[in-house]
Amino acid sequence: MPRTVKIPPQFADVFARAEEHFNRFFQDQRYDPTQGTIEIADERYILVRGAAMSVEFFDVVKRLFSHSEHEATDIASQVLFDIAHALGKADANHFHRAMGLTEPISKLSAGPVFFSHTGWAFVDISDQSNPVPDENYYLIYDHPRSFEAEAWIAAGRHSEFPVCLMNAGYSSGWCEESFGLPLVAREVSCRARGDEACRFIMAPPSRIEAHVARHLGREARALGRISAADIGRSFNRDWAREELLEKTLHNSERDYRGLFIASPDAIFEWDQNGIVQAVNPSAATLLGYDRPEELIGRSWMDFVIAEDRQACIDDLRELEKAGGVSGNEFGMQRKDGSQFVVQGRVSVTLESGGQSRSIAVARDLTERKRREAEIERLNADLEQRVRDRTAELEAVNRDLETFAYSVSHDLRAPLRTIDGFSRILLEEYSGKLDAEGIRLLNIVSDGAKRMDLLVQDILSFSRIQRQDMTAVEIDMGELVHSVLHDLESAMAGRNVKVEVGPLPKVRGDAAMIRRVWTNLLDNAIKYTAPKERAVIEIGGRIEAADAIYVVKDNGVGFDMKHADQLFGVFHRLHGAEFAGTGIGLAIAKRVITRHGGRIWAEAKVNEGATFTFALPALDGGSPHATMDRMMRQ
């Protein structure tokens, strides 16, 4: 069994080989104070007083942080642990290579032996330990004569917390390097505090607290005055959080490098002097170079076209003052001298010493600029064609209006003549005409009147789309009663019941809206004529932003398969038994559409029809919303 370490029997052979190596190693010592050197096997060593790195170190830190003894204790503890942890990793790496060690247990074995030879402490490893290269790693061990605890005891000082921080740091650093996984050690009892032994538990950071708590619960009585709170006072660190943070930083760096290399955008990094420190492959490709290395060491401004350099410099100066990210367009030039436009986003960060570092992401806008120019050209062509077409349509509309007026004037004059002479013949020559002659003259007169009405409707229909509109607030109830009053003659001698419900007010052109009601109510009266008792219901309501109006009758109705023909010019679903030109509903639809509304109908044959139209409600938006919707039609 080894003499410099106490270990479970199953590890005896491995530790014995380590002890043989270090026995030979430490036999080769040269001490030369005239040169200020201590050499062991040609390795330079230094001697440090144990008290200087323990009890006296705490005293120095406490004087520096006299305002808070608790803070001084935490700082001293963390510094000692971290320094020792780094030393343990470095020494382990060195001796693993020097001794040709590859297996984790053999790597670990060299640590306690070297530890003992260098005067840190003797190591007594418990057989409860489970040193495995995964998260189940667990080591429990004692240092019977830890240099740190001995320093406190020799100084006659009593500590309220475990003091063997360097012992814990060094051993966990060595084992971490040996097993290739993060490890920390916590001292759970300490002779400097009056406990029987300096005992340590080592485990991965995510498991250490659970192991310590379990051990304290089981061993508290045997180890004396000890608690998790006391241990936490000496070294209050969130190991799991530090491990997670380290992994996060490592992963972030890895991900950043991956994105840096794979990014399709060019990425440049330069120092405070504008000298390029790093570029990704896309940057080299963008600028026409074979390798990114060709750009490194050159000034960033070498790649910016001359006329844009000053603006870029000014931009960077502003960023250095205000921080943030700048995004501008500027020109760059390739290796062959050709120029192109990029969108650059630059971030400037200030580092220690007042130095700055800039990172820029540049995206080639050549193709986008080409597409934008093409879209602008197409839009300009389209706008010109629209203007030309609009001018043509306006000219055609003017010609049509002139034509319609001329036709109506030229047609209506002979029609009035025909109707007038027909009435003269009927009035003055009826005694000379037989019954058939009188009948034929009446047909001629009626035909002339219908033709005159048709000409008037055609002229009205053609003018509605171009007629100026004057929007006013319309009381639909008053308007409907006025229209019904005008249509009383059409209901004379008939049994017609008209019911008028509440009708919401709207804004619109009163004369045009009057024509809508006139056409709808005239149709309702006309197509209920065959009924012995006609019923016409008129109502309205508000739905969301619309005012809805309904005219329902119990007349002859129509077949819904022809509904799409209702609002077309000259489309009639009934024969000559019902008077009309077939334009009234087309006029109504055009008026409603110009007001930003819609109109539709539902019916069943011989069961009546329901005509519904919707207009923008008075409160359906801003005060000018209704007029705006009207003017867009």
Side-chain angles (χ1 to χ4, degrees):
M1 291 291 287
R3 294 180 301 105
T4 58
V5 60
K6 186 177 180 181
I7 39 85
Q10 65 266 32
F11 301 129
D13 290 342
V14 176
F15 277 79
R17 288 193 292 272
E19 185 164 292
E20 289 176 5
H21 174 84
F22 282 110
N23 284 340
R24 293 191 301 270
F25 181 84
F26 279 94
Q27 285 177 1
D28 183 11
Q29 295 189 29
R30 288 182 296 279
Y31 174 63
D32 187 355
T34 63
Q35 298 296 320
T37 60
I38 300 173
E39 292 184 359
I40 301 175
D42 296 327
E43 287 282 339
R44 182 83 176 261
Y45 278 71
I46 60 172
L47 289 176
V48 179
R49 288 175 53 249
M53 296 302 295
S54 181
V55 60
E56 294 172 8
F57 183 83
F58 276 92
D59 291 340
V60 170
V61 176
K62 286 180 180 179
R63 285 197 296 272
L64 294 174
F65 294 87
S66 58
H67 62 281
S68 173
E69 181 175 344
H70 177 74
E71 183 181 3
T73 299
D74 285 346
I75 292 173
S77 299
Q78 292 181 24
V79 169
L80 291 174
F81 182 94
D82 288 341
I83 290 174
H85 191 84
L87 291 174
K89 286 178 66 68
D91 282 350
N93 181 269
H94 171 77
F95 283 105
H96 293 164
R97 289 186 287 106
M99 297 170 65
L101 303 177
T102 57
E103 295 299 322
I105 292 296
S106 63
K107 289 181 176 181
L108 180 151
S109 68
V113 178
F114 181 75
F115 202 64
S116 181
H117 275 81
T118 51
W120 290 68
F122 180 86
V123 182
D124 181 355
I125 300 177
S126 169
D127 58 6
Q128 299 176 29
S129 300
N130 183 38
V132 292
D134 57 39
E135 62 180 7
N136 295 311
Y137 182 100
Y138 177 69
L139 204 69
I140 179 169
Y141 55 97
D142 290 351
H143 287 171
R145 295 194 63 185
S146 162
F147 84 88
E148 292 168 288
E150 292 280 314
W152 282 74
I153 293 171
R157 299 276 292 276
H158 176 83
S159 172
E160 296 297 325
F161 55 88
V163 300
C164 302
L165 282 308
M166 294 197 77
N167 281 272
Y170 190 95
S171 58
S172 60
W174 188 292
C175 292
E176 180 174 297
E177 189 70 19
S178 300
F179 283 82
L181 73 158
L183 293 171
V184 293
R186 295 284 293 272
E187 189 179 14
V188 295
S189 65
C190 185
R191 291 176 59 234
R193 198 179 57 174
D195 299 323
E196 294 180 4
C198 292
R199 178 162 296 174
F200 301 82
I201 289 177
M202 187 188 302
S206 59
R207 297 288 186 90
I208 189 67
E209 299 297 340
H211 284 307
V212 169
R214 186 164 50 252
H215 178 80
L216 294 182
R218 184 174 61 245
E219 303 291 343
R221 181 173 300 175
L223 292 174
R225 298 175 297 111
I226 186 166
S227 71
D230 292 333
I231 296 173
R233 277 188 58 205
S234 68
F235 206 11
N236 186 20
R237 298 178 71 172
D238 188 342
W239 297 105
R241 181 176 179 275
E242 289 188 16
E243 180 184 18
L244 178 61
L245 179 59
E246 183 176 351
K247 288 182 178 179
T248 300
L249 291 174
H250 173 75
N251 292 338
S252 297
E253 173 65 17
R254 181 198 62 201
D255 294 344
Y256 169 75
R257 298 308 304 178
L259 289 172
F260 182 84
I261 293 171
S263 172
D265 293 327
I267 303 177
F268 303 81
E269 181 179 330
W270 63 87
D271 63 16
Q272 69 278 3
N273 297 316
I275 303 302
V276 176
Q277 303 296 307
V279 295
N280 67 343
S282 294
T285 302
L286 180 67
L287 294 171
Y289 290 85
D290 296 327
R291 296 177 297 110
E293 292 77 10
E294 296 180 70
L295 283 69
I296 295 174
R298 297 179 58 180
S299 171
W300 153 250
M301 285 299 155
D302 288 350
F303 310 109
V304 178
I305 62 174
E307 51 266 39
D308 286 350
R309 289 176 185 170
Q310 189 57 50
C312 287
I313 292 172
D314 294 341
D315 232 14
L316 287 173
R317 287 174 179 166
E318 287 299 318
L319 280 178
E320 289 176 357
K321 295 177 183 177
V325 178
S326 170
N328 293 316
E329 294 182 9
F330 54 89
M332 299 190 75
Q333 54 191 12
R334 298 184 180 91
K335 184 178 181 180
D336 61 10
S338 59
Q339 299 182 354
F340 59 101
V341 178
V342 300
Q343 182 180 53
R345 297 186 64 81
V346 183
S347 173
V348 177
T349 57
L350 293 178
E351 299 181 337
S352 60
Q355 303 297 310
S356 67
R357 181 171 66 96
S358 301
I359 297 179
V361 179
R363 177 169 296 177
D364 187 356
L365 298 183
T366 302
E367 182 60 23
R368 195 181 87 180
K369 291 292 184 182
R370 186 194 65 77
R371 290 196 301 266
E372 289 177 352
E374 180 65 13
I375 291 172
E376 288 180 5
R377 185 187 65 78
L378 291 173
N379 285 338
D381 290 346
L382 179 61
E383 289 174 2
Q384 186 58 49
R385 287 199 296 272
V386 169
R387 286 193 295 270
D388 294 344
R389 185 59 176 162
T390 301
E392 292 175 7
L393 290 174
E394 288 175 352
V396 169
N397 284 334
R398 287 193 298 270
D399 292 343
L400 285 174
E401 187 171 358
T402 301
F403 174 75
Y405 179 80
S406 298
V407 168
S408 66
H409 181 271
D410 293 343
L411 282 177
R412 293 184 70 191
L415 287 173
R416 285 194 296 270
T417 300
I418 292 170
D419 181 48
F421 278 105
S422 297
R423 281 187 279 105
I424 291 172
L425 289 173
L426 287 171
E427 292 172 1
E428 298 185 9
Y429 294 92
S430 59
K432 298 179 180 181
L433 298 173
D434 58 12
E436 181 63 13
I438 293 172
R439 187 183 69 81
L440 292 175
L441 280 175
N442 281 324
I443 291 175
V444 170
S445 178
D446 290 342
K449 291 176 181 176
R450 284 197 301 275
M451 179 62 75
D452 184 61
L453 180 60
L454 177 61
V455 170
Q456 290 184 62
D457 284 349
I458 291 174
L459 186 60
S460 296
F461 182 77
S462 67
R463 286 178 173 173
I464 284 175
Q465 193 64 27
R466 297 180 303 281
Q467 183 178 337
D468 292 337
M469 295 173 60
T470 302
V472 296
E473 186 176 302
I474 302 172
D475 186 326
M476 286 296 215
E478 291 183 4
L479 181 60
V480 166
H481 283 96
S482 176
V483 171
L484 288 171
H485 177 75
D486 292 345
L487 295 174
E488 283 181 353
S489 60
M491 295 182 284
R494 291 180 51 198
N495 184 7
V496 180
K497 180 182 180 183
V498 180
E499 298 177 353
V500 181
L503 299 173
K505 297 179 180 181
V506 294
R507 284 183 64 82
D509 187 290
M512 289 187 178
I513 298 298
R514 185 183 187 88
R515 296 201 66 168
V516 173
W517 283 112
T518 299
N519 283 319
L520 295 180
L521 294 175
D522 183 59
N523 281 353
I525 294 169
K526 178 168 50 180
Y527 292 112
T528 55
K531 299 287 184 175
E532 292 184 3
R533 184 173 184 272
V535 178
I536 301 172
E537 301 174 42
I538 304 165
R541 63 186 183 275
I542 296 294
E543 287 186 3
D546 289 327
I548 308 295
Y549 303 95
V550 180
V551 176
K552 181 179 180 181
D553 65 62
N554 67 335
V556 297
F558 58 84
D559 192 333
M560 283 297 290
K561 69 181 181 181
H562 302 302
D564 58 339
Q565 304 176 23
L566 274 176
F567 300 100
V569 180
F570 302 131
H571 287 166
R572 304 191 66 206
L573 303 186
H574 301 284
E577 69 273 20
F578 295 102
T581 62
I583 299 179
L585 288 178
I587 291 174
K589 181 178 180 180
R590 180 161 286 189
V591 169
I592 296 300
T593 301
R594 284 204 68 187
H595 280 75
R598 62 193 188 281
I599 185 170
W600 63 97
E602 297 173 330
K604 288 185 179 180
V605 176
N606 292 322
E607 293 186 21
T610 301
F611 284 82
T612 307
F613 65 94
L615 295 172
L618 257 180
D619 57 352
S622 65
H624 303 290
T626 303
M627 192 61 183
D628 290 343
R629 288 177 61 176
M630 290 164 54
M631 295 304 293
R632 286 196 297 268
Q633 305 305 315

